[in-house]
Amino acid sequence: VIERESIPDIFQCIVNSIIGQQISSKAAASIWNRFKEYFGEISYEKICNATIEEIQKLGITTKKSIYIKEIAEKIKDGSLDLEKLKEKNDEEVIKELIKLNGIGVWSAEMIMIFSMGRKDVISYGDLVIVNALKKLYGHEKIDKKLFEEYKKKFSPYNTIVSLYLWAFSKMEDENMENYFIYDTVIGDLRIESNGKEVTRIEFQNENSLKESSELDDKNKKIMKKNYATDLAYKELT
């Protein structure tokens, strides 16, 4: 089961998104906790009543502080109605959110996933997702056209796919055991790794080696070793 924290309140999710831009996830979590400790429940009313200096002292840049306060003031004066976003489709939500200073397409897509609960969102602007797709499907590069093909293939469950791709990337980062299975002419080849190096190579069905009349014992061993090494190198580098 994959679990990801959600922030149901859209304004809070926007603030969280701006805080986390261009900094590590660890630093973002620390600043977010600082915001919650200082403001309690983070609301546009409290942000409107705070000064730019107050917000900045919580650990973010002046520019980010201005973005957050501007958005809070738009909600207060009625020029921004976040509740109405829930009635719009994904493309319309992105179009509205990117009008706000500090919110780009990627941030809008994350808000749709982690606050609005949209079910068919996957981001081309997310390097972790793109890199995971490259590794899983053996691509050296994924351009926008190829990405759109995968997006169409996974629809209408792209959000679930996004969660699994993030989890896959995290699994490799934490050096957890991983494996790949290849259907070769001499049997199913299983290659295990810890994310950095090959830890085990074996054929799932050893009988497939015995059944091959074209190879003598010596050549079977050489072929088994070289085939495994070449495939492992291709997949893991």
Side-chain angles (χ1 to χ4, degrees), residues 176-193:
M176 292 177 66
E177 287 296 322
N178 197 6
Y179 69 90
F180 308 90
I181 296 178
Y182 298 89
D183 181 14
T184 78
V185 293
I186 52 175
D188 290 339
L189 178 66
R190 180 186 177 105
I191 302 174
E192 298 181 4
S193 80

Side-chain angles (χ1 to χ4, degrees), residues 48-192:
C48 284
N49 291 330
T51 65
I52 296 296
E53 291 72 21
E54 265 184 286
I55 300 171
Q56 185 184 359
K57 286 179 181 178
L58 295 174
I60 64 174
T61 64
T62 301
K63 184 179 288 187
K64 288 183 179 181
S65 302
I66 292 171
Y67 291 160
I68 291 171
K69 191 167 175 66
E70 281 181 351
I71 294 169
E73 289 172 347
K74 285 180 180 291
I75 298 172
K76 184 178 180 180
D77 66 25
S79 60
L80 174 63
D81 188 341
L82 295 179
E83 287 301 309
K84 284 189 177 180
L85 289 179
K86 297 176 181 179
E87 303 169 6
K88 300 180 181 295
N89 63 37
D90 292 351
E91 290 75 19
E92 291 170 336
V93 171
I94 292 173
K95 186 177 180 180
E96 288 300 313
L97 286 175
I98 63 175
K99 292 177 182 177
L100 304 173
N101 288 328
I103 300 296
V105 173
W106 178 84
S107 294
E109 290 166 335
M110 296 306 104
I111 291 164
M112 289 197 297
I113 290 176
F114 295 113
S115 184
M116 302 179 71
R118 296 297 172 97
K119 298 179 179 180
D120 198 27
V121 181
I122 189 168
S123 177
Y124 182 62
D126 193 296
L127 292 178
V128 174
I129 285 177
V130 173
N131 287 335
L133 284 173
K134 285 196 295 186
K135 178 161 287 190
L136 284 170
Y137 292 99
H139 298 294
E140 291 186 5
K141 180 182 178 181
I142 293 184
D143 58 19
K144 188 64 183 294
K145 181 180 178 181
L146 180 56
F147 184 85
E148 288 298 324
E149 291 177 8
Y150 279 115
K151 183 177 180 179
K152 184 177 179 180
K153 176 181 178 181
F154 299 141
S155 184
Y157 307 109
N158 275 297
T159 296
I160 294 174
V161 171
S162 296
L163 295 176
Y164 274 95
L165 291 173
W166 282 319
F168 170 77
S169 180
K170 184 178 180 182
M171 177 185 69
E172 292 213 322
D173 289 343
E174 293 177 350
N175 296 328
M176 292 177 66
E177 287 296 322
N178 197 6
Y179 69 90
F180 308 90
I181 296 178
Y182 298 89
D183 181 14
T184 78
V185 293
I186 52 175
D188 290 339
L189 178 66
R190 180 186 177 105
I191 302 174
E192 298 181 4

Side-chain angles (χ1 to χ4, degrees), residues 7 15-16 30 33-34 42 56 79-80 85 88 172-173 188 206 221 236:
I7 305 176
V15 174
N16 179 272
S30 177
N33 288 332
R34 210 173 300 154
I42 299 172
Q56 185 184 359
S79 60
L80 174 63
L85 289 179
K88 300 180 181 295
E172 292 213 322
D173 289 343
D188 290 339
E206 291 294 338
K221 291 178 182 178
L236 300 171

Side-chain angles (χ1 to χ4, degrees), residues 19-31:
I19 287 172
Q21 291 170 3
Q22 298 178 326
I23 61 175
S24 70
S25 57
K26 185 176 180 180
S30 177
I31 296 170

